[in-house]
Amino acid sequence: MQRRDPRNCSKVKPRSTEHGFTLVEMMVSLLIFGLLAAAGAALLSFSVRAQAVTTERLDESAAINRLVSALGADLGQAVDRPTRDPAGLVIPAFIGGSGSGASPALRLVRLGWTNLDDAPRAALQKVEYQVRGGNLERIAYPMLDGAAPLPPAVMVRNVSNVALRYRIDGAWSDQWTGQPGIPLPQAVELQLTRGDGAHYRALFMVGTNYRPKPVTDGSADAG
C-alpha cells in the first residue's frame, strides 16, 4: 500500500504577483506626495515673489535712467531765451525752484526740438518739471510764448521728495531766476527720494557750461 506524503495533504495557493497596497503603504505614499507638493508650491510661490520684486526694481531703475537722460538732455541744451505767459508777461529763460514745494520745480528753454512734421514752430522748446500726486512729471509746450502745455509725461512714480540746487562760480543756491549777465546756472544738482526710502543724487551741466560773452565798451574795440 502506497503511503501519501502529508506535505501534499493541504494545498496552499501562492500569493498573486498583482495585489493592492495596504492601508499603511497608502498612508505613507500620500504623506510623501503631500510633502513634495507642499515643497513645490512653496518654491513656486517664492519664485513668483522674487520675479515680481526683480521686475519692480528693474522698472524703478529704468525710470531713474529715463529721468537722468531726459533731464540731462534738457539742461545740456538750455539756452537764454525768455518767454511770455498767456497774459503776455515775460518769463526768464531759466527758473529753478527748490524742488517738491515749487510749481514748477524747474522751467527752461532748450535747443534740439526736432520738427518731424514741419510744423510752423521754432526749433526751441519750453519744458517744465514738477512733482504732482507723488509723481515727477515733465511738461512740454508746443510754442514758446502764450501756449497751453501738452499733456504731462510721468518720469518717476512714488516720489516723496525732490530737492534741487543750482551752482554758479563755486556757490550753490536753492533758487534760480537768473543774475545780471548770467541767465543760466553752470550746473544743477538733483536729489530724489522715493516712497520706499531709496535716495538718488545726480549732477548735470547746464548749456554745456554756457557763459555769455563779457560786454565790452567802444573804447576797448577802438584800441
Side-chain angles (χ1 to χ4, degrees):
M1 184 176 180
Q2 191 177 10
R3 184 176 295 180
R4 298 177 60 185
D5 190 347
R7 291 176 298 180
N8 296 331
C9 294
S10 61
K11 294 183 179 181
V12 178
K13 295 182 179 180
R15 185 177 182 183
S16 174
T17 56
E18 298 181 359
H19 61 280
F21 292 102
T22 64
L23 180 59
V24 175
E25 291 173 336
M26 183 63 71
M27 295 297 293
V28 172
S29 300
L30 291 176
L31 175 62
I32 296 175
F33 177 78
L35 293 176
L36 293 176
L43 181 60
L44 178 60
S45 177
F46 174 79
S47 300
V48 171
R49 290 197 303 270
Q51 182 65 30
V53 172
T54 301
T55 301
E56 182 180 357
R57 292 293 181 266
L58 290 175
D59 290 343
E60 293 174 356
S61 178
I64 294 297
N65 290 336
R66 286 193 299 269
L67 171 64
V68 171
S69 178
L71 186 55
D74 290 339
L75 291 172
Q77 300 185 79
V79 293
D80 179 18
R81 202 290 194 180
T83 60
R84 293 182 181 274
D85 64 10
L89 299 178
V90 177
I91 302 174
F94 193 106
I95 297 178
S98 59
S100 299
S103 181
L106 180 65
R107 176 188 288 145
L108 59 99
V109 176
R110 56 159 291 175
L111 290 166
W113 188 20
T114 304
N115 194 352
L116 298 176
D117 300 327
D118 293 329
R121 61 169 177 78
L124 305 177
Q125 186 181 37
K126 181 170 67 174
V127 297
E128 296 178 353
Y129 287 84
Q130 69 176 11
V131 179
R132 182 172 57 181
N135 298 326
L136 178 58
E137 300 175 339
R138 180 184 185 271
I139 303 172
Y141 286 77
M143 300 291 180
L144 293 174
D145 300 314
L150 298 171
V154 177
M155 305 301 295
V156 182
R157 300 183 184 276
N158 190 24
V159 174
S160 63
N161 186 64
V162 170
L164 293 168
R165 293 198 304 166
Y166 310 90
R167 184 178 178 88
I168 186 71
D169 292 335
W172 288 97
S173 174
D174 294 336
Q175 303 283 337
W176 182 270
T177 55
Q179 299 180 9
I182 309 176
L184 309 179
Q186 295 172 328
V188 173
E189 178 194 65
L190 167 70
Q191 296 193 45
L192 184 148
T193 304
R194 301 181 66 101
D196 57 3
H199 185 77
Y200 304 90
R201 178 176 179 267
L203 294 173
F204 305 91
M205 300 297 293
V206 177
T208 315
N209 202 15
Y210 164 82
R211 291 298 298 271
K213 294 181 179 180
V215 178
T216 58
D217 55 18
S219 60
D221 295 337

